[in-house]
Amino acid sequence: MQFAIICEDKPNSVELRQSTRPEHVDYLNGLGKTLVFAGPFLDESGNPCGSLVVIEAADQAEAEAIAGRDPYGHAGLFESVTVRPFRLAFNTTTST
């Protein structure tokens, strides 16, 4: 089952995001095939202001546990985190 982890950054936290990014990237890489895709939300200036991470997990509890281990969260970057069941219905893009 797939889950979308939707994270909104706290205001004025670009510096915190950048300083914590290496640990976050290591964490995502360590998820292996559990990770479906991930990337940042951008504000009107093109700066990251949140994250979308889609994962495979057995259930809601497992998905929430994966979200809870993200180094960004441990660093206090997020204002909110929502974990929702997700179903990929269409995929017509390639990564850039």
Side-chain angles (χ1 to χ4, degrees):
M1 183 170 198
Q2 293 180 342
F3 291 86
I5 303 168
I6 304 156
C7 308
E8 297 290 334
D9 292 0
K10 291 178 180 174
N12 304 311
S13 59
V14 172
E15 188 175 303
L16 176 59
R17 174 179 275 272
Q18 290 174 338
S19 69
T20 313
R21 188 172 188 278
E23 294 93 297
H24 169 73
V25 170
D26 286 347
Y27 178 68
L28 292 180
N29 283 330
L31 291 176
K33 293 186 179 205
T34 297
L35 178 65
V36 178
F37 65 86
F41 292 115
L42 304 176
D43 66 16
E44 61 280 347
S45 299
N47 294 313
C49 61
S51 299
L52 172 62
V53 179
V54 176
I55 59 169
E56 294 278 349
D59 54 31
Q60 183 79 26
E62 181 182 2
E64 289 175 2
I66 291 168
R69 290 191 294 268
D70 190 322
Y72 276 166
H74 288 275
L77 176 64
F78 299 135
E79 184 168 77
S80 67
V81 176
T82 304
V83 180
R84 299 185 63 177
F86 176 82
R87 180 181 308 129
L88 181 63
F90 299 94
N91 184 7
T92 60
T93 61
T94 59
S95 61
T96 57

PDB file of all heavy atoms in Angstrom, residues 32-72:
ATOM      1  N   GLY A  32      15.456   2.390   0.448  1.00  0.00           N
ATOM      2  CA  GLY A  32      15.454   1.430  -0.649  1.00  0.00           C
ATOM      3  C   GLY A  32      14.156   1.456  -1.427  1.00  0.00           C
ATOM      4  O   GLY A  32      13.627   2.522  -1.745  1.00  0.00           O
ATOM      5  N   LYS A  33      13.610   0.271  -1.682  1.00  0.00           N
ATOM      6  CA  LYS A  33      12.383   0.167  -2.491  1.00  0.00           C
ATOM      7  C   LYS A  33      11.136   0.641  -1.754  1.00  0.00           C
ATOM      8  O   LYS A  33      10.073   0.746  -2.348  1.00  0.00           O
ATOM      9  CB  LYS A  33      12.208  -1.250  -2.999  1.00  0.00           C
ATOM     10  CG  LYS A  33      13.282  -1.629  -3.985  1.00  0.00           C
ATOM     11  CD  LYS A  33      13.026  -2.972  -4.609  1.00  0.00           C
ATOM     12  CE  LYS A  33      14.132  -3.255  -5.605  1.00  0.00           C
ATOM     13  NZ  LYS A  33      13.742  -4.159  -6.647  1.00  0.00           N
ATOM     14  N   THR A  34      11.267   0.921  -0.453  1.00  0.00           N
ATOM     15  CA  THR A  34      10.137   1.492   0.293  1.00  0.00           C
ATOM     16  C   THR A  34       9.792   2.871  -0.251  1.00  0.00           C
ATOM     17  O   THR A  34       8.627   3.263  -0.268  1.00  0.00           O
ATOM     18  CB  THR A  34      10.497   1.599   1.795  1.00  0.00           C
ATOM     19  OG1 THR A  34      10.712   0.279   2.290  1.00  0.00           O
ATOM     20  CG2 THR A  34       9.413   2.263   2.599  1.00  0.00           C
ATOM     21  N   LEU A  35      10.806   3.604  -0.728  1.00  0.00           N
ATOM     22  CA  LEU A  35      10.601   4.940  -1.274  1.00  0.00           C
ATOM     23  C   LEU A  35      10.121   4.845  -2.716  1.00  0.00           C
ATOM     24  O   LEU A  35      10.768   4.224  -3.558  1.00  0.00           O
ATOM     25  CB  LEU A  35      11.911   5.733  -1.221  1.00  0.00           C
ATOM     26  CG  LEU A  35      11.867   7.133  -1.808  1.00  0.00           C
ATOM     27  CD1 LEU A  35      10.941   8.044  -0.994  1.00  0.00           C
ATOM     28  CD2 LEU A  35      13.261   7.723  -1.874  1.00  0.00           C
ATOM     29  N   VAL A  36       8.971   5.454  -2.999  1.00  0.00           N
ATOM     30  CA  VAL A  36       8.440   5.503  -4.359  1.00  0.00           C
ATOM     31  C   VAL A  36       8.985   6.745  -5.061  1.00  0.00           C
ATOM     32  O   VAL A  36       9.562   6.662  -6.135  1.00  0.00           O
ATOM     33  CB  VAL A  36       6.894   5.493  -4.359  1.00  0.00           C
ATOM     34  CG1 VAL A  36       6.342   5.592  -5.770  1.00  0.00           C
ATOM     35  CG2 VAL A  36       6.370   4.240  -3.670  1.00  0.00           C
ATOM     36  N   PHE A  37       8.806   7.909  -4.468  1.00  0.00           N
ATOM     37  CA  PHE A  37       9.398   9.153  -4.955  1.00  0.00           C
ATOM     38  C   PHE A  37       9.316  10.199  -3.864  1.00  0.00           C
ATOM     39  O   PHE A  37       8.569  10.060  -2.897  1.00  0.00           O
ATOM     40  CB  PHE A  37       8.741   9.657  -6.252  1.00  0.00           C
ATOM     41  CG  PHE A  37       7.307  10.055  -6.136  1.00  0.00           C
ATOM     42  CD1 PHE A  37       6.942  11.341  -5.725  1.00  0.00           C
ATOM     43  CD2 PHE A  37       6.293   9.173  -6.465  1.00  0.00           C
ATOM     44  CE1 PHE A  37       5.606  11.713  -5.624  1.00  0.00           C
ATOM     45  CE2 PHE A  37       4.956   9.535  -6.378  1.00  0.00           C
ATOM     46  CZ  PHE A  37       4.620  10.816  -5.959  1.00  0.00           C
ATOM     47  N   ALA A  38      10.107  11.260  -4.021  1.00  0.00           N
ATOM     48  CA  ALA A  38      10.124  12.328  -3.024  1.00  0.00           C
ATOM     49  C   ALA A  38      10.642  13.608  -3.659  1.00  0.00           C
ATOM     50  O   ALA A  38      11.379  13.575  -4.640  1.00  0.00           O
ATOM     51  CB  ALA A  38      11.010  11.950  -1.844  1.00  0.00           C
ATOM     52  N   GLY A  39      10.252  14.726  -3.072  1.00  0.00           N
ATOM     53  CA  GLY A  39      10.761  16.014  -3.517  1.00  0.00           C
ATOM     54  C   GLY A  39      10.176  17.138  -2.687  1.00  0.00           C
ATOM     55  O   GLY A  39       9.216  16.941  -1.944  1.00  0.00           O
ATOM     56  N   PRO A  40      10.771  18.327  -2.829  1.00  0.00           N
ATOM     57  CA  PRO A  40      10.312  19.465  -2.036  1.00  0.00           C
ATOM     58  C   PRO A  40       9.169  20.218  -2.714  1.00  0.00           C
ATOM     59  O   PRO A  40       9.075  20.262  -3.944  1.00  0.00           O
ATOM     60  CB  PRO A  40      11.557  20.358  -1.962  1.00  0.00           C
ATOM     61  CG  PRO A  40      12.236  20.114  -3.271  1.00  0.00           C
ATOM     62  CD  PRO A  40      12.008  18.643  -3.557  1.00  0.00           C
ATOM     63  N   PHE A  41       8.321  20.824  -1.892  1.00  0.00           N
ATOM     64  CA  PHE A  41       7.406  21.849  -2.378  1.00  0.00           C
ATOM     65  C   PHE A  41       8.209  23.139  -2.469  1.00  0.00           C
ATOM     66  O   PHE A  41       9.162  23.334  -1.706  1.00  0.00           O
ATOM     67  CB  PHE A  41       6.232  22.049  -1.402  1.00  0.00           C
ATOM     68  CG  PHE A  41       5.293  20.882  -1.338  1.00  0.00           C
ATOM     69  CD1 PHE A  41       5.169  20.150  -0.163  1.00  0.00           C
ATOM     70  CD2 PHE A  41       4.542  20.501  -2.438  1.00  0.00           C
ATOM     71  CE1 PHE A  41       4.304  19.070  -0.084  1.00  0.00           C
ATOM     72  CE2 PHE A  41       3.671  19.417  -2.371  1.00  0.00           C
ATOM     73  CZ  PHE A  41       3.556  18.708  -1.184  1.00  0.00           C
ATOM     74  N   LEU A  42       7.842  24.022  -3.388  1.00  0.00           N
ATOM     75  CA  LEU A  42       8.552  25.278  -3.566  1.00  0.00           C
ATOM     76  C   LEU A  42       7.626  26.456  -3.329  1.00  0.00           C
ATOM     77  O   LEU A  42       6.446  26.401  -3.684  1.00  0.00           O
ATOM     78  CB  LEU A  42       9.131  25.361  -4.979  1.00  0.00           C
ATOM     79  CG  LEU A  42      10.054  24.205  -5.393  1.00  0.00           C
ATOM     80  CD1 LEU A  42      10.481  24.369  -6.843  1.00  0.00           C
ATOM     81  CD2 LEU A  42      11.257  24.111  -4.475  1.00  0.00           C
ATOM     82  N   ASP A  43       8.186  27.525  -2.755  1.00  0.00           N
ATOM     83  CA  ASP A  43       7.400  28.746  -2.589  1.00  0.00           C
ATOM     84  C   ASP A  43       7.479  29.582  -3.870  1.00  0.00           C
ATOM     85  O   ASP A  43       8.108  29.169  -4.859  1.00  0.00           O
ATOM     86  CB  ASP A  43       7.844  29.534  -1.341  1.00  0.00           C
ATOM     87  CG  ASP A  43       9.253  30.085  -1.431  1.00  0.00           C
ATOM     88  OD1 ASP A  43       9.840  30.152  -2.547  1.00  0.00           O
ATOM     89  OD2 ASP A  43       9.792  30.476  -0.370  1.00  0.00           O
ATOM     90  N   GLU A  44       6.879  30.750  -3.869  1.00  0.00           N
ATOM     91  CA  GLU A  44       6.821  31.594  -5.059  1.00  0.00           C
ATOM     92  C   GLU A  44       8.201  32.066  -5.513  1.00  0.00           C
ATOM     93  O   GLU A  44       8.383  32.451  -6.665  1.00  0.00           O
ATOM     94  CB  GLU A  44       5.889  32.798  -4.828  1.00  0.00           C
ATOM     95  CG  GLU A  44       6.312  33.715  -3.704  1.00  0.00           C
ATOM     96  CD  GLU A  44       5.936  33.228  -2.311  1.00  0.00           C
ATOM     97  OE1 GLU A  44       5.127  32.296  -2.159  1.00  0.00           O
ATOM     98  OE2 GLU A  44       6.480  33.791  -1.352  1.00  0.00           O
ATOM     99  N   SER A  45       9.189  32.005  -4.650  1.00  0.00           N
ATOM    100  CA  SER A  45      10.558  32.395  -5.001  1.00  0.00           C
ATOM    101  C   SER A  45      11.403  31.201  -5.436  1.00  0.00           C
ATOM    102  O   SER A  45      12.581  31.352  -5.740  1.00  0.00           O
ATOM    103  CB  SER A  45      11.231  33.069  -3.806  1.00  0.00           C
ATOM    104  OG  SER A  45      10.536  34.231  -3.443  1.00  0.00           O
ATOM    105  N   GLY A  46      10.827  30.011  -5.415  1.00  0.00           N
ATOM    106  CA  GLY A  46      11.556  28.806  -5.798  1.00  0.00           C
ATOM    107  C   GLY A  46      12.324  28.157  -4.668  1.00  0.00           C
ATOM    108  O   GLY A  46      13.095  27.227  -4.896  1.00  0.00           O
ATOM    109  N   ASN A  47      12.104  28.628  -3.439  1.00  0.00           N
ATOM    110  CA  ASN A  47      12.766  28.041  -2.274  1.00  0.00           C
ATOM    111  C   ASN A  47      11.940  26.881  -1.731  1.00  0.00           C
ATOM    112  O   ASN A  47      10.712  26.947  -1.725  1.00  0.00           O
ATOM    113  CB  ASN A  47      12.934  29.082  -1.168  1.00  0.00           C
ATOM    114  CG  ASN A  47      13.888  30.174  -1.566  1.00  0.00           C
ATOM    115  OD1 ASN A  47      14.960  29.915  -2.073  1.00  0.00           O
ATOM    116  ND2 ASN A  47      13.498  31.414  -1.332  1.00  0.00           N
ATOM    117  N   PRO A  48      12.596  25.819  -1.237  1.00  0.00           N
ATOM    118  CA  PRO A  48      11.847  24.713  -0.649  1.00  0.00           C
ATOM    119  C   PRO A  48      11.085  25.168   0.589  1.00  0.00           C
ATOM    120  O   PRO A  48      11.594  25.958   1.382  1.00  0.00           O
ATOM    121  CB  PRO A  48      12.909  23.683  -0.296  1.00  0.00           C
ATOM    122  CG  PRO A  48      14.222  24.364  -0.418  1.00  0.00           C
ATOM    123  CD  PRO A  48      14.043  25.610  -1.191  1.00  0.00           C
ATOM    124  N   CYS A  49       9.852  24.683   0.711  1.00  0.00           N
ATOM    125  CA  CYS A  49       9.002  25.071   1.843  1.00  0.00           C
ATOM    126  C   CYS A  49       8.216  23.889   2.407  1.00  0.00           C
ATOM    127  O   CYS A  49       7.301  24.073   3.206  1.00  0.00           O
ATOM    128  CB  CYS A  49       8.061  26.203   1.432  1.00  0.00           C
ATOM    129  SG  CYS A  49       6.941  25.760   0.091  1.00  0.00           S
ATOM    130  N   GLY A  50       8.560  22.697   1.995  1.00  0.00           N
ATOM    131  CA  GLY A  50       7.873  21.498   2.457  1.00  0.00           C
ATOM    132  C   GLY A  50       8.353  20.302   1.668  1.00  0.00           C
ATOM    133  O   GLY A  50       9.241  20.418   0.820  1.00  0.00           O
ATOM    134  N   SER A  51       7.766  19.155   1.939  1.00  0.00           N
ATOM    135  CA  SER A  51       8.188  17.920   1.276  1.00  0.00           C
ATOM    136  C   SER A  51       6.987  17.046   0.956  1.00  0.00           C
ATOM    137  O   SER A  51       5.998  17.037   1.694  1.00  0.00           O
ATOM    138  CB  SER A  51       9.112  17.101   2.193  1.00  0.00           C
ATOM    139  OG  SER A  51      10.271  17.802   2.520  1.00  0.00           O
ATOM    140  N   LEU A  52       7.122  16.304  -0.137  1.00  0.00           N
ATOM    141  CA  LEU A  52       6.190  15.231  -0.464  1.00  0.00           C
ATOM    142  C   LEU A  52       7.029  13.973  -0.612  1.00  0.00           C
ATOM    143  O   LEU A  52       7.960  13.925  -1.422  1.00  0.00           O
ATOM    144  CB  LEU A  52       5.440  15.515  -1.762  1.00  0.00           C
ATOM    145  CG  LEU A  52       4.576  14.369  -2.295  1.00  0.00           C
ATOM    146  CD1 LEU A  52       3.462  14.016  -1.298  1.00  0.00           C
ATOM    147  CD2 LEU A  52       3.996  14.729  -3.644  1.00  0.00           C
ATOM    148  N   VAL A  53       6.734  12.975   0.199  1.00  0.00           N
ATOM    149  CA  VAL A  53       7.434  11.691   0.155  1.00  0.00           C
ATOM    150  C   VAL A  53       6.363  10.618   0.011  1.00  0.00           C
ATOM    151  O   VAL A  53       5.438  10.548   0.821  1.00  0.00           O
ATOM    152  CB  VAL A  53       8.258  11.463   1.448  1.00  0.00           C
ATOM    153  CG1 VAL A  53       8.955  10.108   1.404  1.00  0.00           C
ATOM    154  CG2 VAL A  53       9.255  12.593   1.670  1.00  0.00           C
ATOM    155  N   VAL A  54       6.477   9.815  -1.026  1.00  0.00           N
ATOM    156  CA  VAL A  54       5.532   8.705  -1.217  1.00  0.00           C
ATOM    157  C   VAL A  54       6.288   7.411  -0.988  1.00  0.00           C
ATOM    158  O   VAL A  54       7.371   7.194  -1.537  1.00  0.00           O
ATOM    159  CB  VAL A  54       4.891   8.753  -2.613  1.00  0.00           C
ATOM    160  CG1 VAL A  54       3.989   7.532  -2.829  1.00  0.00           C
ATOM    161  CG2 VAL A  54       4.074  10.045  -2.773  1.00  0.00           C
ATOM    162  N   ILE A  55       5.718   6.576  -0.132  1.00  0.00           N
ATOM    163  CA  ILE A  55       6.364   5.329   0.288  1.00  0.00           C
ATOM    164  C   ILE A  55       5.412   4.150   0.146  1.00  0.00           C
ATOM    165  O   ILE A  55       4.194   4.324   0.043  1.00  0.00           O
ATOM    166  CB  ILE A  55       6.827   5.415   1.759  1.00  0.00           C
ATOM    167  CG1 ILE A  55       5.631   5.692   2.681  1.00  0.00           C
ATOM    168  CG2 ILE A  55       7.927   6.452   1.925  1.00  0.00           C
ATOM    169  CD1 ILE A  55       5.921   5.525   4.161  1.00  0.00           C
ATOM    170  N   GLU A  56       5.994   2.973   0.189  1.00  0.00           N
ATOM    171  CA  GLU A  56       5.250   1.716   0.326  1.00  0.00           C
ATOM    172  C   GLU A  56       5.332   1.325   1.800  1.00  0.00           C
ATOM    173  O   GLU A  56       6.417   1.357   2.393  1.00  0.00           O
ATOM    174  CB  GLU A  56       5.885   0.612  -0.516  1.00  0.00           C
ATOM    175  CG  GLU A  56       5.822   0.823  -2.002  1.00  0.00           C
ATOM    176  CD  GLU A  56       4.504   0.412  -2.617  1.00  0.00           C
ATOM    177  OE1 GLU A  56       3.683  -0.243  -1.932  1.00  0.00           O
ATOM    178  OE2 GLU A  56       4.290   0.755  -3.793  1.00  0.00           O
ATOM    179  N   ALA A  57       4.200   0.974   2.387  1.00  0.00           N
ATOM    180  CA  ALA A  57       4.165   0.520   3.782  1.00  0.00           C
ATOM    181  C   ALA A  57       3.001  -0.448   3.952  1.00  0.00           C
ATOM    182  O   ALA A  57       2.022  -0.395   3.197  1.00  0.00           O
ATOM    183  CB  ALA A  57       4.021   1.710   4.730  1.00  0.00           C
ATOM    184  N   ALA A  58       3.097  -1.293   4.949  1.00  0.00           N
ATOM    185  CA  ALA A  58       2.061  -2.296   5.195  1.00  0.00           C
ATOM    186  C   ALA A  58       0.752  -1.658   5.653  1.00  0.00           C
ATOM    187  O   ALA A  58      -0.328  -2.136   5.317  1.00  0.00           O
ATOM    188  CB  ALA A  58       2.541  -3.309   6.224  1.00  0.00           C
ATOM    189  N   ASP A  59       0.872  -0.575   6.443  1.00  0.00           N
ATOM    190  CA  ASP A  59      -0.329   0.053   6.998  1.00  0.00           C
ATOM    191  C   ASP A  59      -0.005   1.471   7.468  1.00  0.00           C
ATOM    192  O   ASP A  59       1.144   1.921   7.392  1.00  0.00           O
ATOM    193  CB  ASP A  59      -0.913  -0.780   8.137  1.00  0.00           C
ATOM    194  CG  ASP A  59       0.096  -1.097   9.235  1.00  0.00           C
ATOM    195  OD1 ASP A  59       1.019  -0.280   9.486  1.00  0.00           O
ATOM    196  OD2 ASP A  59      -0.029  -2.166   9.857  1.00  0.00           O
ATOM    197  N   GLN A  60      -1.003   2.162   7.961  1.00  0.00           N
ATOM    198  CA  GLN A  60      -0.864   3.537   8.429  1.00  0.00           C
ATOM    199  C   GLN A  60       0.192   3.666   9.524  1.00  0.00           C
ATOM    200  O   GLN A  60       1.005   4.594   9.514  1.00  0.00           O
ATOM    201  CB  GLN A  60      -2.228   4.055   8.938  1.00  0.00           C
ATOM    202  CG  GLN A  60      -2.233   5.498   9.378  1.00  0.00           C
ATOM    203  CD  GLN A  60      -2.307   6.493   8.243  1.00  0.00           C
ATOM    204  OE1 GLN A  60      -2.814   6.196   7.165  1.00  0.00           O
ATOM    205  NE2 GLN A  60      -1.820   7.693   8.479  1.00  0.00           N
ATOM    206  N   ALA A  61       0.185   2.726  10.452  1.00  0.00           N
ATOM    207  CA  ALA A  61       1.139   2.792  11.567  1.00  0.00           C
ATOM    208  C   ALA A  61       2.580   2.711  11.066  1.00  0.00           C
ATOM    209  O   ALA A  61       3.452   3.459  11.527  1.00  0.00           O
ATOM    210  CB  ALA A  61       0.854   1.683  12.572  1.00  0.00           C
ATOM    211  N   GLU A  62       2.848   1.816  10.137  1.00  0.00           N
ATOM    212  CA  GLU A  62       4.200   1.706   9.585  1.00  0.00           C
ATOM    213  C   GLU A  62       4.576   2.974   8.833  1.00  0.00           C
ATOM    214  O   GLU A  62       5.704   3.476   8.954  1.00  0.00           O
ATOM    215  CB  GLU A  62       4.323   0.491   8.665  1.00  0.00           C
ATOM    216  CG  GLU A  62       5.727   0.333   8.101  1.00  0.00           C
ATOM    217  CD  GLU A  62       5.871  -0.842   7.140  1.00  0.00           C
ATOM    218  OE1 GLU A  62       4.889  -1.553   6.856  1.00  0.00           O
ATOM    219  OE2 GLU A  62       7.006  -1.027   6.667  1.00  0.00           O
ATOM    220  N   ALA A  63       3.647   3.519   8.049  1.00  0.00           N
ATOM    221  CA  ALA A  63       3.910   4.758   7.303  1.00  0.00           C
ATOM    222  C   ALA A  63       4.217   5.907   8.257  1.00  0.00           C
ATOM    223  O   ALA A  63       5.142   6.698   8.024  1.00  0.00           O
ATOM    224  CB  ALA A  63       2.723   5.097   6.406  1.00  0.00           C
ATOM    225  N   GLU A  64       3.468   6.007   9.341  1.00  0.00           N
ATOM    226  CA  GLU A  64       3.714   7.067  10.322  1.00  0.00           C
ATOM    227  C   GLU A  64       5.058   6.880  11.019  1.00  0.00           C
ATOM    228  O   GLU A  64       5.754   7.858  11.304  1.00  0.00           O
ATOM    229  CB  GLU A  64       2.573   7.131  11.331  1.00  0.00           C
ATOM    230  CG  GLU A  64       1.302   7.666  10.715  1.00  0.00           C
ATOM    231  CD  GLU A  64       0.100   7.647  11.640  1.00  0.00           C
ATOM    232  OE1 GLU A  64       0.234   7.236  12.818  1.00  0.00           O
ATOM    233  OE2 GLU A  64      -0.985   8.043  11.169  1.00  0.00           O
ATOM    234  N   ALA A  65       5.449   5.637  11.254  1.00  0.00           N
ATOM    235  CA  ALA A  65       6.750   5.376  11.867  1.00  0.00           C
ATOM    236  C   ALA A  65       7.880   5.799  10.923  1.00  0.00           C
ATOM    237  O   ALA A  65       8.877   6.394  11.361  1.00  0.00           O
ATOM    238  CB  ALA A  65       6.870   3.898  12.226  1.00  0.00           C
ATOM    239  N   ILE A  66       7.743   5.515   9.638  1.00  0.00           N
ATOM    240  CA  ILE A  66       8.748   5.930   8.660  1.00  0.00           C
ATOM    241  C   ILE A  66       8.827   7.451   8.619  1.00  0.00           C
ATOM    242  O   ILE A  66       9.916   8.028   8.640  1.00  0.00           O
ATOM    243  CB  ILE A  66       8.424   5.340   7.270  1.00  0.00           C
ATOM    244  CG1 ILE A  66       8.623   3.816   7.304  1.00  0.00           C
ATOM    245  CG2 ILE A  66       9.264   5.996   6.180  1.00  0.00           C
ATOM    246  CD1 ILE A  66       8.068   3.076   6.105  1.00  0.00           C
ATOM    247  N   ALA A  67       7.682   8.112   8.597  1.00  0.00           N
ATOM    248  CA  ALA A  67       7.667   9.578   8.607  1.00  0.00           C
ATOM    249  C   ALA A  67       8.319  10.121   9.870  1.00  0.00           C
ATOM    250  O   ALA A  67       9.054  11.113   9.820  1.00  0.00           O
ATOM    251  CB  ALA A  67       6.230  10.083   8.487  1.00  0.00           C
ATOM    252  N   GLY A  68       8.092   9.472  10.983  1.00  0.00           N
ATOM    253  CA  GLY A  68       8.610   9.932  12.266  1.00  0.00           C
ATOM    254  C   GLY A  68      10.113   9.806  12.415  1.00  0.00           C
ATOM    255  O   GLY A  68      10.703  10.435  13.301  1.00  0.00           O
ATOM    256  N   ARG A  69      10.747   9.017  11.568  1.00  0.00           N
ATOM    257  CA  ARG A  69      12.198   8.846  11.646  1.00  0.00           C
ATOM    258  C   ARG A  69      12.972   9.812  10.745  1.00  0.00           C
ATOM    259  O   ARG A  69      14.199   9.833  10.747  1.00  0.00           O
ATOM    260  CB  ARG A  69      12.577   7.398  11.306  1.00  0.00           C
ATOM    261  CG  ARG A  69      12.144   6.413  12.379  1.00  0.00           C
ATOM    262  CD  ARG A  69      12.744   5.034  12.169  1.00  0.00           C
ATOM    263  NE  ARG A  69      12.267   4.362  10.966  1.00  0.00           N
ATOM    264  CZ  ARG A  69      11.223   3.536  10.912  1.00  0.00           C
ATOM    265  NH1 ARG A  69      10.512   3.285  11.995  1.00  0.00           N
ATOM    266  NH2 ARG A  69      10.885   2.958   9.783  1.00  0.00           N
ATOM    267  N   ASP A  70      12.267  10.633   9.974  1.00  0.00           N
ATOM    268  CA  ASP A  70      12.928  11.565   9.050  1.00  0.00           C
ATOM    269  C   ASP A  70      13.766  12.580   9.830  1.00  0.00           C
ATOM    270  O   ASP A  70      13.253  13.238  10.744  1.00  0.00           O
ATOM    271  CB  ASP A  70      11.877  12.287   8.208  1.00  0.00           C
ATOM    272  CG  ASP A  70      12.472  13.085   7.066  1.00  0.00           C
ATOM    273  OD1 ASP A  70      13.546  13.698   7.241  1.00  0.00           O
ATOM    274  OD2 ASP A  70      11.847  13.109   5.993  1.00  0.00           O
ATOM    275  N   PRO A  71      15.041  12.731   9.490  1.00  0.00           N
ATOM    276  CA  PRO A  71      15.890  13.706  10.182  1.00  0.00           C
ATOM    277  C   PRO A  71      15.360  15.139  10.117  1.00  0.00           C
ATOM    278  O   PRO A  71      15.595  15.915  11.049  1.00  0.00           O
ATOM    279  CB  PRO A  71      17.239  13.591   9.456  1.00  0.00           C
ATOM    280  CG  PRO A  71      17.254  12.179   8.965  1.00  0.00           C
ATOM    281  CD  PRO A  71      15.827  11.902   8.569  1.00  0.00           C
ATOM    282  N   TYR A  72      14.666  15.502   9.070  1.00  0.00           N
ATOM    283  CA  TYR A  72      14.057  16.842   9.010  1.00  0.00           C
ATOM    284  C   TYR A  72      13.110  17.041  10.189  1.00  0.00           C
ATOM    285  O   TYR A  72      13.100  18.078  10.827  1.00  0.00           O
ATOM    286  CB  TYR A  72      13.295  17.035   7.711  1.00  0.00           C
ATOM    287  CG  TYR A  72      14.094  17.475   6.516  1.00  0.00           C
ATOM    288  CD1 TYR A  72      13.539  17.399   5.243  1.00  0.00           C
ATOM    289  CD2 TYR A  72      15.389  17.986   6.625  1.00  0.00           C
ATOM    290  CE1 TYR A  72      14.234  17.814   4.126  1.00  0.00           C
ATOM    291  CE2 TYR A  72      16.094  18.391   5.504  1.00  0.00           C
ATOM    292  CZ  TYR A  72      15.510  18.309   4.250  1.00  0.00           C
ATOM    293  OH  TYR A  72      16.197  18.729   3.134  1.00  0.00           O
TER     294      TYR A  72
END
